[in-house]
Amino acid sequence: MNAIEIKNLHKTYAASGKSAQKVALEDIQLTIPAGTIYGLLGPNGAGKSTLINILAGLVLKTSGSVSIWKTDIDENPRQTRANIGIVPQEINFDPFFSPRKILDLQAGLYGVPKAERRSDELLKMVGLSDKANAYTRSLSGGMRRRLMLAKAMVHSPPILVLDEPTAGVDVELRNQLWDNVRALNKKGVTILLTTHYLQEAEELCDRIAIINHGKIIVDEDKSTLLSRVDGKEIRIRVAENITHLPPSLKDLSIKAKTEDSFTIYFDPKLITAGQIISKVQTAGLSIIDLSTKDQDLEDVFLRLTRSDQQD
Ligand code: ADP
Ligand code: MG
């Protein structure tokens, strides 16, 4: 069973005023199995919010198909809205309402009968029971974020989507939100979240898709993605000017280069640092200095998003 199926999805924002038209999503294919925590990872402007807002019915797609819980969003938008809860990137509530009032109003909006409303249970889940009747404007930023999460769950949707849930929040709150998300997932809720924090994707997600310039460039189980992180890098400084690298070094994966130094990614299973050094010496260069470092997920992410730009 798939919670969300996205096929051939395109979005072009029309030109307006001084800004030209903008292709925000290009031929997106994404399948999110029920029960997973799925991370959509990408730099700012990659198209994450556009994709989420299409799911939420807030942005109209240009073409392609999206189905949520086996229902096409064009065929039955009411039904698809009922099956998804969205925590948008921006926080917006009426500051004069209390958290309980906000949840009651939202439940009313979704047609949840009074007897089935769970405002108090949701407030408890996000640790806001003692703020139930406070003015929302008196809540801290972190409390507001958690209230957004509760608000997205008033109609008990099987799918919860969070757009950059922890952007700009402190470590403690981040951990609380992650706990809330994990607890919901344990109860069977499928989670899709966007983030530009690698650590967030690494901690929380079962599967990770990386989006860059509106295209999905990687879509893998977390363990597969992390296994790419076995790599190392070596930085070598030489006596010669290497504005033009000797051709015999061109097959090495060069990360960065200056006039007298270069940094190479390598997989120790395929080539050792020693072999790289002798390759450099055989090419006629004299090594002055070198250092090595383990790669982390950040390097993998940068490498993938950078090579994508050169295509
Ligand atoms: P992300 O959430 O990954 O930061 P967005 O989906 O917000 O990315 O934006 C993707 C691209 O689409 C960006 O280049 C952004 O400037 C552009 N964009 C977003 N919303 C609009 C809009 N309403 N009109 C025109 N361009 C937009
Ligand atoms: Mg965004």
Side-chain angles (χ1 to χ4, degrees), residues 13 22 24 43-50 89:
Y13 287 107
K22 169 80 197 174
N44 278 328
K48 303 180 298 296
S49 292
T50 300
Q89 197 171 343

Side-chain angles (χ1 to χ4, degrees), residues 5-9 28 61 63-67 72-74:
E5 281 178 23
I6 297 173
K7 291 197 182 114
N8 311 106
L9 180 65
I28 302 286
K61 61 186 161 61
S63 62
S65 73
V66 176
S67 76
D72 189 289
I73 57 167
D74 295 333

Side-chain angles (χ1 to χ4, degrees), residues 155-217:
H155 56 299
S156 311
I159 306 170
L160 176 66
V161 176
L162 305 106
D163 195 3
E164 309 242 7
T166 62
V169 307
D170 63 34
V171 175
E172 190 188 346
L173 170 67
R174 191 172 300 165
N175 286 328
Q176 284 170 3
L177 272 165
W178 288 352
D179 286 346
N180 288 153
V181 166
R182 285 194 194 98
L184 284 167
N185 181 249
K186 279 224 170 68
K187 287 186 186 156
V189 178
T190 305
I191 312 279
L192 171 62
L193 65 91
T194 77
T195 183
H196 63 268
Y197 290 125
L198 291 147
Q199 197 205 345
E200 184 154 70
E202 192 171 339
E203 286 268 338
L204 267 185
C205 301
D206 307 314
R207 198 174 166 92
I208 296 172
I210 298 182
I211 183 170
N212 195 32
H213 298 295
K215 290 186 211 156
I216 303 276
I217 52 173

Side-chain angles (χ1 to χ4, degrees), residues 25-236:
L25 296 175
E26 226 178 312
D27 205 27
I28 302 286
Q29 326 286 339
L30 208 57
T31 298
I32 296 162
T36 45
I37 304 185
Y38 212 105
L40 186 62
L41 184 64
N44 278 328
K48 303 180 298 296
S49 292
T50 300
L51 192 136
I52 299 308
N53 290 334
I54 290 171
L55 297 177
L58 298 171
V59 166
L60 287 178
K61 61 186 161 61
T62 304
S63 62
S65 73
V66 176
S67 76
I68 293 172
W69 219 245
K70 291 206 167 145
T71 306
D72 189 289
I73 57 167
D74 295 333
E75 280 164 23
N76 196 340
R78 246 182 101 89
Q79 180 63 34
T80 53
R81 261 202 306 276
N83 282 329
I84 200 163
I86 307 266
V87 182
Q89 197 171 343
E90 307 298 330
I91 294 178
N92 56 341
F93 317 103
D94 187 322
F96 294 101
F97 287 153
S98 67
R100 180 180 282 129
K101 181 79 186 162
I102 285 168
L103 297 189
D104 283 344
L105 285 172
Q106 182 78 356
L109 213 61
Y110 274 88
V112 181
K114 280 222 162 69
E116 288 170 28
R117 293 195 186 162
R118 311 184 294 140
S119 303
D120 289 330
E121 182 193 329
L122 289 167
L123 287 170
K124 185 162 177 239
M125 173 188 89
V126 296
L128 288 177
S129 297
D130 58 339
K131 298 283 178 190
N133 298 313
Y135 281 134
T136 301
R137 63 167 179 201
S138 72
L139 302 185
S140 68
M143 291 173 178
R144 289 177 203 204
R145 288 263 171 190
R146 283 182 277 146
L147 181 56
M148 296 280 286
L149 177 62
K151 191 179 162 195
M153 292 303 296
V154 292
H155 56 299
S156 311
I159 306 170
L160 176 66
V161 176
L162 305 106
D163 195 3
E164 309 242 7
T166 62
V169 307
D170 63 34
V171 175
E172 190 188 346
L173 170 67
R174 191 172 300 165
N175 286 328
Q176 284 170 3
L177 272 165
W178 288 352
D179 286 346
N180 288 153
V181 166
R182 285 194 194 98
L184 284 167
N185 181 249
K186 279 224 170 68
K187 287 186 186 156
V189 178
T190 305
I191 312 279
L192 171 62
L193 65 91
T194 77
T195 183
H196 63 268
Y197 290 125
L198 291 147
Q199 197 205 345
E200 184 154 70
E202 192 171 339
E203 286 268 338
L204 267 185
C205 301
D206 307 314
R207 198 174 166 92
I208 296 172
I210 298 182
I211 183 170
N212 195 32
H213 298 295
K215 290 186 211 156
I216 303 276
I217 52 173
V218 172
D219 181 9
E220 289 178 345
D221 283 331
K222 179 173 65 185
S223 54
T224 314
L225 188 62
L226 288 176
S227 71
R228 294 184 183 227
V229 188
D230 287 345
K232 279 180 161 292
E233 57 183 66
I234 184 166
R235 182 168 179 274
I236 299 178

Side-chain angles (χ1 to χ4, degrees), residues 234 236 245-255 262-267 271-273 275-281 283 285:
I234 184 166
I236 299 178
L245 264 190
S248 63
L249 300 181
K250 293 253 161 80
D251 58 334
L252 295 170
S253 173
I254 309 285
K255 176 193 180 186
F262 52 96
T263 304
I264 297 167
Y265 284 122
F266 68 102
D267 179 347
I271 187 168
T272 65
Q275 285 167 327
I276 292 174
I277 290 164
S278 44
K279 229 171 139 82
V280 171
Q281 288 167 334
L285 299 177

